[in-house]
Amino acid sequence: MNGAGNNSVTHLVIGEEAAGQRLDNYLVRHCKGVPKSHLYRILRSGEVRVNKGRVDATYRLQPGDSLRLPPLRLAERAVDEIAELAKTRVDLPVIYEDEALLVIDKPEGIAVHGGSGVSFGVIEALRRQRPQAKFLELAHRLDRETSGVLLVGKKRLALTVLHDMFREHGAGADKRYLVLVRGRWMNATQHVKAPLLKYLTESGERRVSVDAEGKASHTVFRLLARWPEASLLEAQLKTGRTHQIRVHLAHLGFPILGDEKYGDFNLNKRLRPAGLKRMALHAWRMAFRHPLSGAPLTCVAPLPDGIRSYVAALDAATQREFAADNLQQILEHQ
């Protein structure tokens, strides 16, 4: 935990990489394994001091600040476990990298960060694999089951600009996904503007549904290929709501193949022995402006083998009813 998490008082000096970060967010990152409720309690009680004085949780850290942390007890499991998993279980192909940001092709089945019962995630793996890196923070998120383009800030200024870009609800970044759905999708282009509402199930699991009381949400779907019982679509996000593509498609009656939250569960059972062992949703392309230079960037993550092979199986089993002009370019991009 970078110097904290022992049975004595810890003193830290804030470096350039944490400049401008809120104190509570800094503590959440650096005090891995400590419940947030406990961190906010020691903030309120004044046990955390900056430059020997009490400060609010919203205080913005400055380079050279002296931070005092009281004794904190952590669970023992995380460090060795994350280190081993980072070395052995994750391949993180780099799509683009410079001094400001890192763009990777996130594998399916791995969370972007540890938490909520998950001890290991992409960001932990990156930090373990790059111990010399002073700053690595997620610019946005992808669902654990979704693969594809993921942006990571390497400087706080770059991260702040990227966060602002994603808050523009699609205006700052052109995010496009590839998705296989059940059914014969007929429209070449379809705009879906169905409001989405978050809720918790009785077991405490986070879910989303179409609801008039929800937040405005907009997805543009374009048909890339169609077979008698399935379709391949491009989904362009105009807003960035939780599970937006998954819920919009399920609401329309075209659930994503392999989706274990909103999909056709009986169909999913049949798909695994047929060769599709994952959710068929992939963040394949993102176009945006570089956070520091403003130069246009386009990052592409090729369609994963797990989805590509199933498309080949569909072609082998039944004849395509429709294929967009750019379909082969998408399928063959490596």
Side-chain angles (χ1 to χ4, degrees), residues 42-323:
I42 61 175
L43 279 167
R44 288 193 301 269
S45 67
E47 293 176 75
V48 176
R49 299 291 180 106
V50 176
N51 302 326
K52 300 183 179 180
R54 297 179 63 149
V55 291
D56 189 79
T58 60
Y59 173 78
R60 299 279 178 178
L61 293 167
Q62 301 300 319
D65 277 351
S66 176
L67 177 63
R68 175 199 183 276
L69 297 178
L72 297 170
R73 295 193 63 184
L74 305 181
E76 292 292 332
R77 61 133 179 96
V79 174
D80 291 340
E81 180 183 355
I82 290 173
E84 273 311 302
L85 289 168
K87 292 175 185 175
T88 62
R89 285 184 49 191
V90 178
D91 177 24
L92 300 175
V94 175
I95 298 172
Y96 174 87
E97 183 173 12
D98 62 18
E99 74 285 352
L101 77 155
L102 172 66
V103 184
I104 65 169
D105 184 355
K106 184 188 91 68
E108 167 271 336
I110 298 175
V112 293
H113 62 83
S116 301
V118 178
S119 63
F120 162 76
V122 167
I123 199 67
E124 287 84 7
L126 280 174
R127 289 170 183 160
R128 289 286 167 180
Q129 291 170 0
R130 295 166 173 244
Q132 77 285 358
K134 293 183 178 180
F135 185 89
L136 290 170
E137 292 287 353
L138 293 165
H140 64 113
R141 299 187 179 189
L142 291 176
D143 292 341
R144 181 174 183 172
E145 305 89 343
T146 304
S147 55
V149 177
L150 182 68
L151 274 58
V152 177
K154 293 174 63 177
K155 289 186 176 181
R156 178 153 298 281
L157 178 57
L159 182 71
T160 299
V161 173
L162 291 171
H163 282 168
D164 290 342
M165 176 184 75
F166 287 117
R167 288 192 189 100
E168 293 174 14
H169 304 302
D174 183 357
K175 295 192 289 184
R176 310 216 177 186
Y177 292 67
L178 298 176
V179 54
L180 274 170
V181 301
R182 182 196 70 188
R184 298 175 66 242
W185 186 281
M186 303 305 295
N187 296 334
T189 302
Q190 184 170 341
H191 289 254
V192 179
K193 298 180 179 180
L196 298 177
L197 182 68
K198 291 182 184 179
Y199 68 97
L200 293 177
T201 65
E202 291 184 359
S203 63
E205 187 178 6
R206 181 182 63 175
R207 291 294 179 92
V208 179
S209 65
V210 172
D211 191 294
E213 300 298 317
K215 293 183 178 180
S217 305
H218 183 191
T219 313
V220 182
F221 294 103
R222 297 179 180 90
L223 179 62
L224 296 176
R226 185 177 62 241
W227 298 268
E229 296 182 352
S231 303
L232 177 66
L233 310 177
E234 176 193 80
Q236 181 183 14
L237 286 179
K238 294 294 188 179
T239 55
R241 308 301 181 198
T242 300
H243 298 167
Q244 178 174 317
I245 296 172
R246 301 166 70 175
V247 177
H248 275 172
L249 287 169
H251 176 69
L252 294 175
F254 293 86
I256 298 176
L257 301 186
D259 188 344
E260 296 295 341
K261 282 184 182 288
Y262 307 99
D264 182 331
F265 307 128
N266 290 328
L267 174 60
N268 289 346
K269 292 179 182 178
R270 301 195 299 272
L271 290 173
R272 294 186 69 83
L276 186 64
K277 304 182 186 300
R278 54 160 293 174
M279 182 173 70
L281 179 62
H282 177 67
W284 81 283
R285 180 180 182 275
M286 188 185 301
F288 58 101
R289 292 198 172 275
H290 190 279
L292 299 187
S293 71
L297 279 177
T298 299
C299 296
V300 176
L303 192 65
D305 290 340
I307 299 177
R308 189 196 310 272
S309 61
Y310 190 73
V311 169
L314 286 172
D315 279 331
T318 57
Q319 187 172 0
R320 287 184 201 162
E321 298 179 351
F322 172 84

